[in-house]
PDB file of all heavy atoms in Angstrom:
ATOM      1  N   ALA E   1      45.451 150.298 102.339  1.00 92.00           N
ATOM      2  CA  ALA E   1      44.217 149.497 101.750  1.00 92.00           C
ATOM      3  C   ALA E   1      44.619 148.018 101.857  1.00 92.00           C
ATOM      4  O   ALA E   1      43.671 147.244 101.919  1.00 92.00           O
ATOM      5  CB  ALA E   1      43.997 149.895 100.292  1.00 92.00           C
ATOM      6  N   ARG E   2      45.841 147.638 101.760  1.00 93.00           N
ATOM      7  CA  ARG E   2      46.187 146.307 101.759  1.00 93.00           C
ATOM      8  C   ARG E   2      46.790 145.846 103.147  1.00 93.00           C
ATOM      9  O   ARG E   2      47.200 144.822 103.486  1.00 93.00           O
ATOM     10  CB  ARG E   2      47.203 145.985 100.713  1.00 93.00           C
ATOM     11  CG  ARG E   2      46.669 146.080  99.366  1.00 93.00           C
ATOM     12  CD  ARG E   2      47.645 145.489  98.296  1.00 93.00           C
ATOM     13  NE  ARG E   2      48.926 146.141  98.219  1.00 93.00           N
ATOM     14  CZ  ARG E   2      50.077 145.471  98.414  1.00 93.00           C
ATOM     15  NH1 ARG E   2      50.137 144.284  98.657  1.00 93.00           N
ATOM     16  NH2 ARG E   2      51.217 146.276  98.447  1.00 93.00           N
ATOM     17  N   ASN E   3      47.016 146.859 104.109  1.00 93.00           N
ATOM     18  CA  ASN E   3      47.498 146.625 105.420  1.00 93.00           C
ATOM     19  C   ASN E   3      48.972 145.980 105.347  1.00 93.00           C
ATOM     20  O   ASN E   3      49.288 145.047 106.026  1.00 93.00           O
ATOM     21  CB  ASN E   3      46.631 145.696 106.222  1.00 93.00           C
ATOM     22  CG  ASN E   3      45.252 146.265 106.528  1.00 93.00           C
ATOM     23  OD1 ASN E   3      45.087 147.450 106.559  1.00 93.00           O
ATOM     24  ND2 ASN E   3      44.166 145.422 106.446  1.00 93.00           N
ATOM     25  N   THR E   4      49.744 146.692 104.463  1.00 95.00           N
ATOM     26  CA  THR E   4      51.087 146.318 104.279  1.00 95.00           C
ATOM     27  C   THR E   4      52.126 147.363 104.620  1.00 95.00           C
ATOM     28  O   THR E   4      51.758 148.607 104.387  1.00 95.00           O
ATOM     29  CB  THR E   4      51.286 145.582 102.813  1.00 95.00           C
ATOM     30  OG1 THR E   4      51.116 146.643 101.983  1.00 95.00           O
ATOM     31  CG2 THR E   4      50.491 144.481 102.542  1.00 95.00           C
ATOM     32  N   ALA E   5      53.272 146.920 104.950  1.00 96.00           N
ATOM     33  CA  ALA E   5      54.460 147.882 105.090  1.00 96.00           C
ATOM     34  C   ALA E   5      55.674 147.320 104.497  1.00 96.00           C
ATOM     35  O   ALA E   5      55.973 146.154 105.024  1.00 96.00           O
ATOM     36  CB  ALA E   5      54.649 148.317 106.609  1.00 96.00           C
ATOM     37  N   ASP E   6      56.214 148.118 103.662  1.00 97.00           N
ATOM     38  CA  ASP E   6      57.506 147.591 102.946  1.00 97.00           C
ATOM     39  C   ASP E   6      58.664 148.254 103.363  1.00 97.00           C
ATOM     40  O   ASP E   6      58.583 149.469 103.786  1.00 97.00           O
ATOM     41  CB  ASP E   6      57.365 147.656 101.462  1.00 97.00           C
ATOM     42  CG  ASP E   6      56.259 146.661 100.854  1.00 97.00           C
ATOM     43  OD1 ASP E   6      55.761 145.895 101.591  1.00 97.00           O
ATOM     44  OD2 ASP E   6      55.992 146.801  99.709  1.00 97.00           O
ATOM     45  N   LEU E   7      59.828 147.573 103.370  1.00 98.00           N
ATOM     46  CA  LEU E   7      61.184 148.294 103.611  1.00 98.00           C
ATOM     47  C   LEU E   7      62.024 147.976 102.488  1.00 98.00           C
ATOM     48  O   LEU E   7      62.450 146.912 102.181  1.00 98.00           O
ATOM     49  CB  LEU E   7      61.766 147.622 104.981  1.00 98.00           C
ATOM     50  CG  LEU E   7      63.014 148.378 105.413  1.00 98.00           C
ATOM     51  CD1 LEU E   7      62.703 149.794 105.916  1.00 98.00           C
ATOM     52  CD2 LEU E   7      63.665 147.609 106.526  1.00 98.00           C
ATOM     53  N   GLN E   8      62.320 149.023 101.744  1.00 98.00           N
ATOM     54  CA  GLN E   8      63.182 148.974 100.526  1.00 98.00           C
ATOM     55  C   GLN E   8      64.570 149.376 101.035  1.00 98.00           C
ATOM     56  O   GLN E   8      64.819 150.298 101.715  1.00 98.00           O
ATOM     57  CB  GLN E   8      62.782 149.909  99.423  1.00 98.00           C
ATOM     58  CG  GLN E   8      63.706 150.030  98.311  1.00 98.00           C
ATOM     59  CD  GLN E   8      63.818 148.692  97.527  1.00 98.00           C
ATOM     60  OE1 GLN E   8      62.756 148.079  97.214  1.00 98.00           O
ATOM     61  NE2 GLN E   8      65.013 148.201  97.100  1.00 98.00           N
ATOM     62  N   MET E   9      65.527 148.347 100.906  1.00 98.00           N
ATOM     63  CA  MET E   9      66.811 148.535 101.348  1.00 98.00           C
ATOM     64  C   MET E   9      67.737 148.419 100.222  1.00 98.00           C
ATOM     65  O   MET E   9      67.963 147.511  99.510  1.00 98.00           O
ATOM     66  CB  MET E   9      67.210 147.336 102.395  1.00 98.00           C
ATOM     67  CG  MET E   9      66.114 147.157 103.442  1.00 98.00           C
ATOM     68  SD  MET E   9      66.526 145.870 104.659  1.00 98.00           S
ATOM     69  CE  MET E   9      66.549 144.500 103.681  1.00 98.00           C
ATOM     70  N   ASN E  10      68.554 149.667 100.141  1.00 98.00           N
ATOM     71  CA  ASN E  10      69.460 149.809  99.027  1.00 98.00           C
ATOM     72  C   ASN E  10      70.918 149.955  99.615  1.00 98.00           C
ATOM     73  O   ASN E  10      71.057 150.341 100.789  1.00 98.00           O
ATOM     74  CB  ASN E  10      69.146 151.060  98.213  1.00 98.00           C
ATOM     75  CG  ASN E  10      67.732 150.906  97.466  1.00 98.00           C
ATOM     76  OD1 ASN E  10      67.306 149.758  97.113  1.00 98.00           O
ATOM     77  ND2 ASN E  10      67.093 152.002  97.296  1.00 98.00           N
ATOM     78  N   ASN E  11      71.963 149.663  98.806  1.00 98.00           N
ATOM     79  CA  ASN E  11      73.234 149.968  99.166  1.00 98.00           C
ATOM     80  C   ASN E  11      73.532 149.146 100.505  1.00 98.00           C
ATOM     81  O   ASN E  11      74.008 149.633 101.488  1.00 98.00           O
ATOM     82  CB  ASN E  11      73.596 151.396  99.335  1.00 98.00           C
ATOM     83  CG  ASN E  11      75.130 151.627  99.504  1.00 98.00           C
ATOM     84  OD1 ASN E  11      75.865 150.770  99.225  1.00 98.00           O
ATOM     85  ND2 ASN E  11      75.455 152.694 100.071  1.00 98.00           N
ATOM     86  N   LEU E  12      73.194 147.989 100.566  1.00 98.00           N
ATOM     87  CA  LEU E  12      73.262 147.143 101.745  1.00 98.00           C
ATOM     88  C   LEU E  12      74.665 146.919 102.179  1.00 98.00           C
ATOM     89  O   LEU E  12      75.616 146.771 101.259  1.00 98.00           O
ATOM     90  CB  LEU E  12      72.528 145.875 101.551  1.00 98.00           C
ATOM     91  CG  LEU E  12      70.956 145.997 101.708  1.00 98.00           C
ATOM     92  CD1 LEU E  12      70.319 144.867 101.146  1.00 98.00           C
ATOM     93  CD2 LEU E  12      70.622 146.205 103.251  1.00 98.00           C
ATOM     94  N   LYS E  13      74.891 146.969 103.402  1.00 98.00           N
ATOM     95  CA  LYS E  13      76.252 146.692 103.981  1.00 98.00           C
ATOM     96  C   LYS E  13      76.265 145.472 104.809  1.00 98.00           C
ATOM     97  O   LYS E  13      75.269 145.001 105.385  1.00 98.00           O
ATOM     98  CB  LYS E  13      76.713 147.878 104.806  1.00 98.00           C
ATOM     99  CG  LYS E  13      76.581 149.245 104.147  1.00 98.00           C
ATOM    100  CD  LYS E  13      76.905 150.394 104.963  1.00 98.00           C
ATOM    101  CE  LYS E  13      76.881 151.729 104.309  1.00 98.00           C
ATOM    102  NZ  LYS E  13      77.094 152.869 105.004  1.00 98.00           N
ATOM    103  N   PRO E  14      77.474 144.875 105.030  1.00 97.00           N
ATOM    104  CA  PRO E  14      77.570 143.749 105.941  1.00 97.00           C
ATOM    105  C   PRO E  14      77.039 143.974 107.293  1.00 97.00           C
ATOM    106  O   PRO E  14      76.390 142.986 107.823  1.00 97.00           O
ATOM    107  CB  PRO E  14      79.048 143.313 105.862  1.00 97.00           C
ATOM    108  CG  PRO E  14      79.588 143.923 104.571  1.00 97.00           C
ATOM    109  CD  PRO E  14      78.785 145.105 104.250  1.00 97.00           C
ATOM    110  N   GLU E  15      77.070 145.135 107.738  1.00 97.00           N
ATOM    111  CA  GLU E  15      76.528 145.379 109.117  1.00 97.00           C
ATOM    112  C   GLU E  15      74.965 145.494 109.129  1.00 97.00           C
ATOM    113  O   GLU E  15      74.494 145.590 110.253  1.00 97.00           O
ATOM    114  CB  GLU E  15      77.236 146.773 109.616  1.00 97.00           C
ATOM    115  CG  GLU E  15      77.046 147.946 108.750  1.00 97.00           C
ATOM    116  CD  GLU E  15      78.354 148.109 107.980  1.00 97.00           C
ATOM    117  OE1 GLU E  15      78.918 147.087 107.503  1.00 97.00           O
ATOM    118  OE2 GLU E  15      78.789 149.231 107.748  1.00 97.00           O
ATOM    119  N   ASP E  16      74.381 145.438 108.038  1.00 98.00           N
ATOM    120  CA  ASP E  16      72.830 145.278 107.970  1.00 98.00           C
ATOM    121  C   ASP E  16      72.512 143.921 108.084  1.00 98.00           C
ATOM    122  O   ASP E  16      71.253 143.675 108.302  1.00 98.00           O
ATOM    123  CB  ASP E  16      72.369 145.815 106.583  1.00 98.00           C
ATOM    124  CG  ASP E  16      72.739 147.323 106.410  1.00 98.00           C
ATOM    125  OD1 ASP E  16      72.535 148.035 107.397  1.00 98.00           O
ATOM    126  OD2 ASP E  16      72.981 147.806 105.309  1.00 98.00           O
ATOM    127  N   THR E  17      73.386 142.888 108.218  1.00 98.00           N
ATOM    128  CA  THR E  17      72.986 141.513 108.436  1.00 98.00           C
ATOM    129  C   THR E  17      72.300 141.326 109.790  1.00 98.00           C
ATOM    130  O   THR E  17      72.955 141.706 110.955  1.00 98.00           O
ATOM    131  CB  THR E  17      74.258 140.658 108.310  1.00 98.00           C
ATOM    132  OG1 THR E  17      74.812 140.675 106.955  1.00 98.00           O
ATOM    133  CG2 THR E  17      73.917 139.175 108.620  1.00 98.00           C
ATOM    134  N   ALA E  18      71.102 140.747 109.666  1.00 98.00           N
ATOM    135  CA  ALA E  18      70.267 140.670 110.941  1.00 98.00           C
ATOM    136  C   ALA E  18      68.998 139.863 110.532  1.00 98.00           C
ATOM    137  O   ALA E  18      68.751 139.628 109.429  1.00 98.00           O
ATOM    138  CB  ALA E  18      69.979 141.948 111.569  1.00 98.00           C
ATOM    139  N   VAL E  19      68.352 139.431 111.572  1.00 98.00           N
ATOM    140  CA  VAL E  19      66.992 139.062 111.414  1.00 98.00           C
ATOM    141  C   VAL E  19      66.093 140.325 111.503  1.00 98.00           C
ATOM    142  O   VAL E  19      66.165 141.074 112.478  1.00 98.00           O
ATOM    143  CB  VAL E  19      66.520 138.056 112.468  1.00 98.00           C
ATOM    144  CG1 VAL E  19      65.106 137.620 112.334  1.00 98.00           C
ATOM    145  CG2 VAL E  19      67.495 136.732 112.413  1.00 98.00           C
ATOM    146  N   TYR E  20      65.336 140.577 110.578  1.00 98.00           N
ATOM    147  CA  TYR E  20      64.402 141.754 110.525  1.00 98.00           C
ATOM    148  C   TYR E  20      62.919 141.272 110.888  1.00 98.00           C
ATOM    149  O   TYR E  20      62.395 140.184 110.353  1.00 98.00           O
ATOM    150  CB  TYR E  20      64.338 142.315 109.153  1.00 98.00           C
ATOM    151  CG  TYR E  20      65.651 143.090 108.798  1.00 98.00           C
ATOM    152  CD1 TYR E  20      66.843 142.426 108.669  1.00 98.00           C
ATOM    153  CD2 TYR E  20      65.626 144.529 108.731  1.00 98.00           C
ATOM    154  CE1 TYR E  20      68.079 143.142 108.440  1.00 98.00           C
ATOM    155  CE2 TYR E  20      66.750 145.261 108.428  1.00 98.00           C
ATOM    156  CZ  TYR E  20      67.972 144.538 108.302  1.00 98.00           C
ATOM    157  OH  TYR E  20      69.172 145.228 108.187  1.00 98.00           O
ATOM    158  N   TYR E  21      62.405 142.069 111.778  1.00 98.00           N
ATOM    159  CA  TYR E  21      61.053 141.796 112.433  1.00 98.00           C
ATOM    160  C   TYR E  21      60.121 142.893 112.087  1.00 98.00           C
ATOM    161  O   TYR E  21      60.439 144.120 112.268  1.00 98.00           O
ATOM    162  CB  TYR E  21      61.232 141.573 113.887  1.00 98.00           C
ATOM    163  CG  TYR E  21      61.974 140.471 114.357  1.00 98.00           C
ATOM    164  CD1 TYR E  21      63.390 140.601 114.652  1.00 98.00           C
ATOM    165  CD2 TYR E  21      61.432 139.259 114.508  1.00 98.00           C
ATOM    166  CE1 TYR E  21      64.069 139.522 115.063  1.00 98.00           C
ATOM    167  CE2 TYR E  21      62.154 138.153 115.038  1.00 98.00           C
ATOM    168  CZ  TYR E  21      63.506 138.260 115.206  1.00 98.00           C
ATOM    169  OH  TYR E  21      64.173 137.229 115.727  1.00 98.00           O
ATOM    170  N   CYS E  22      58.943 142.669 111.592  1.00 98.00           N
ATOM    171  CA  CYS E  22      57.825 143.547 111.439  1.00 98.00           C
ATOM    172  C   CYS E  22      57.205 143.758 112.906  1.00 98.00           C
ATOM    173  O   CYS E  22      56.979 142.721 113.641  1.00 98.00           O
ATOM    174  CB  CYS E  22      56.824 143.078 110.457  1.00 98.00           C
ATOM    175  SG  CYS E  22      55.515 144.290 110.166  1.00 98.00           S
ATOM    176  N   TYR E  23      56.935 144.950 113.205  1.00 97.00           N
ATOM    177  CA  TYR E  23      56.360 145.343 114.499  1.00 97.00           C
ATOM    178  C   TYR E  23      55.114 146.265 114.134  1.00 97.00           C
ATOM    179  O   TYR E  23      55.167 147.134 113.363  1.00 97.00           O
ATOM    180  CB  TYR E  23      57.312 146.059 115.373  1.00 97.00           C
ATOM    181  CG  TYR E  23      56.794 146.719 116.588  1.00 97.00           C
ATOM    182  CD1 TYR E  23      56.739 145.937 117.844  1.00 97.00           C
ATOM    183  CD2 TYR E  23      56.452 147.994 116.691  1.00 97.00           C
ATOM    184  CE1 TYR E  23      56.278 146.605 118.923  1.00 97.00           C
ATOM    185  CE2 TYR E  23      55.975 148.647 117.732  1.00 97.00           C
ATOM    186  CZ  TYR E  23      55.877 148.010 118.913  1.00 97.00           C
ATOM    187  OH  TYR E  23      55.506 148.540 120.084  1.00 97.00           O
ATOM    188  N   GLY E  24      53.907 145.958 114.914  1.00 96.00           N
ATOM    189  CA  GLY E  24      52.891 146.840 114.721  1.00 96.00           C
ATOM    190  C   GLY E  24      52.204 147.304 116.055  1.00 96.00           C
ATOM    191  O   GLY E  24      52.375 146.601 117.035  1.00 96.00           O
ATOM    192  N   ARG E  25      51.725 148.488 116.028  1.00 94.00           N
ATOM    193  CA  ARG E  25      51.104 149.071 117.378  1.00 94.00           C
ATOM    194  C   ARG E  25      49.714 149.595 116.971  1.00 94.00           C
ATOM    195  O   ARG E  25      49.570 150.302 116.069  1.00 94.00           O
ATOM    196  CB  ARG E  25      51.891 150.122 117.865  1.00 94.00           C
ATOM    197  CG  ARG E  25      51.546 150.453 119.238  1.00 94.00           C
ATOM    198  CD  ARG E  25      52.446 151.650 119.912  1.00 94.00           C
ATOM    199  NE  ARG E  25      52.665 152.770 119.141  1.00 94.00           N
ATOM    200  CZ  ARG E  25      51.799 153.893 119.380  1.00 94.00           C
ATOM    201  NH1 ARG E  25      50.873 153.776 120.208  1.00 94.00           N
ATOM    202  NH2 ARG E  25      52.065 154.986 118.578  1.00 94.00           N
TER     203      ARG E  25
END
């Protein structure tokens, strides 16, 4: 309804460090 997509990230680790990009198709 709102055209949104969320990413809940728990128990984050140093190797998760990055630039995160949203992608749509």
Side-chain angles (χ1 to χ4, degrees):
R2 296 190 301 125
N3 298 327
T4 59
D6 291 353
L7 185 68
Q8 177 66 41
M9 305 185 295
N10 298 328
N11 190 21
L12 283 160
K13 304 176 180 181
E15 51 264 41
D16 295 317
T17 295
V19 177
Y20 283 70
Y21 296 90
C22 182
Y23 168 89
R25 185 173 68 85

